[in-house]
Amino acid sequence: VTILLSDAGFHIQKISYRNVLAALAIALSKFRRSPGSNLTPVPRWLNRLLYFQSIVEWASISAGFTIPVGSSVIAVSKSSADE
């Protein structure tokens, strides 16, 4: 992502990942192949856990921390033309 943004003429101000638990679930699901859709409702307790994790991640990123792994990347960048 860093290379793509730099090559496109952007100066990266902040880059981090999100959805750590989702990344773990995705990685584990690669070992368990099942036919059909993998889109199924999750239990209420898991939904609440993921919601809480999301709040903690946003607060951490807002406080200046960088999350090194996750299923989504967030980048704040500025066009080099603006400098």
Side-chain angles (χ1 to χ4, degrees):
V1 174
T2 303
I3 294 169
L4 290 172
L5 286 170
S6 296
D7 288 350
F10 289 94
H11 172 71
I12 297 170
Q13 297 176 321
K14 172 99 177 148
I15 192 163
S16 184
Y17 286 88
R18 288 231 1 174
N19 300 318
V20 174
L21 292 178
L24 178 61
I26 291 167
L28 292 174
S29 73
K30 298 292 182 188
F31 296 109
R32 193 185 117 229
R33 300 267 184 214
S34 60
S37 174
N38 62 355
L39 298 175
T40 58
V42 297
R44 178 177 241 170
W45 64 267
L46 180 56
N47 195 43
R48 288 183 178 177
L49 173 68
L50 293 171
Y51 178 74
F52 177 73
Q53 178 233 341
S54 179
I55 291 171
V56 171
E57 284 181 352
W58 275 118
S60 300
I61 293 169
S62 296
F65 291 98
T66 300
I67 300 171
V69 295
S71 65
S72 303
V73 66
I74 296 176
V76 178
S77 58
K78 187 175 185 179
S79 172
S80 297
D82 292 341
E83 293 181 19

